[in-house]
Amino acid sequence: NNIMKKTYSAIVVLAPGIEKSGDGPLSFQGEGGEALPYKIVGDPFEFRFKAVRKLYIEGMSDIFLLAGGTVDKEGKTPKAGVMRHRLHNEYGIPLNNLIPLVNTSNTQGNARAVLRYLADKNILFIEKIGLLTNFYHLARATRIFIEEANLRLIPIAAEAIVYDDNYENIVSFYRDRKDNEVSEVVERILNSRKDEGSEIKGFKDMDFGSYKSDKK
């Protein structure tokens, strides 16, 4: 039994953008039996999912708390369920190791859902818990978890975990080459429109009291 050797007792995985798309390349079979076509935005190379796989294979953690809201406006398809399905079917993570936490579609809601789960399990302040998301979202997410739920989790950048095998994709992801995929993440860091949301604007709004919930 090597549980005591785990780097993290659990890792919170924040949902990437998961959008319903008629021509989406991916498909999720919901409980109702109807297939939902979708696409992943904000993390098109799936660094978060690849990081979960590596963390699991390397024995750094075997419990992953999947935090996300819903894919569709009707609220019928939880992002955590889609994440669990993909992590199991595409990345080989056992279902028992993937714990979906359904909540509102913003980081504040993620933080509150994680707080409830950790409190219910009595592992709130005694265990080492990681917080996994993309590098560009990590600083703001860490701050929100502290301010919203008083949770001081260990920040884990997905790109850092998969760095060796995905370096070229990471470069492509962050370098603005004027294609839609890369310019999207650049605008998430600093939007080309001053009044539109971005990571930098989010920090500014938090600092000066005008912050509104995000949809990351």
Side-chain angles (χ1 to χ4, degrees), residues 63-212:
I63 298 296
F64 299 92
L65 309 180
L66 311 179
T70 58
V71 177
D72 46 1
K73 294 181 180 178
E74 299 79 13
K76 296 180 180 179
T77 307
K79 286 185 179 181
V82 177
M83 294 168 68
R84 189 170 188 254
H85 176 268
R86 185 145 184 81
L87 282 166
H88 175 65
N89 288 279
E90 183 66 23
Y91 293 92
I93 311 300
L95 289 174
N96 289 340
N97 299 82
L98 301 168
I99 301 173
L101 304 178
V102 180
N103 50 264
T104 56
S105 294
N106 54 58
T107 311
Q108 289 93 331
N110 296 167
R112 291 191 292 268
V114 171
L115 175 62
R116 286 193 298 270
Y117 177 85
L118 297 179
D120 288 345
K121 298 297 181 181
N122 292 320
I123 56 175
L124 191 52
F125 299 114
I126 60 174
E127 303 285 359
K128 188 175 181 182
I129 311 294
L131 177 64
L132 172 67
T133 186
N134 286 98
F135 176 79
Y136 70 84
H137 181 225
L138 189 56
R140 185 166 56 86
T142 301
R143 176 168 171 172
I144 289 173
F145 267 71
I146 293 172
E147 293 189 348
E148 187 70 28
N150 197 30
L151 288 174
R152 287 162 169 78
L153 309 185
I154 308 299
I156 306 172
E159 293 89 336
I161 299 300
V162 301
Y163 186 87
D164 289 339
D165 296 330
N166 289 266
Y167 176 75
E168 294 301 328
N169 285 341
I170 295 169
V171 170
S172 176
F173 187 51
Y174 281 92
R175 179 177 294 160
D176 186 1
R177 295 180 176 170
K178 305 303 180 186
D179 60 64
N180 291 333
E181 185 173 85
V182 178
S183 62
E184 176 203 344
V185 74
V186 170
E187 289 213 340
R188 285 175 180 263
I189 297 171
L190 178 63
N191 204 299
S192 59
R193 295 174 296 280
K194 185 177 180 180
D195 293 333
E196 293 295 320
S198 70
E199 294 298 311
I200 293 176
K201 184 178 184 297
F203 270 112
K204 186 269 293 184
D205 291 344
M206 292 175 82
D207 288 328
F208 294 101
S210 58
Y211 187 77
K212 295 180 180 180

Side-chain angles (χ1 to χ4, degrees), residues 19-26 36-39 71:
E19 295 181 357
K20 187 176 180 180
S21 174
D23 58 352
L26 305 173
L36 173 75
Y38 70 94
K39 62 181 179 179
V71 177

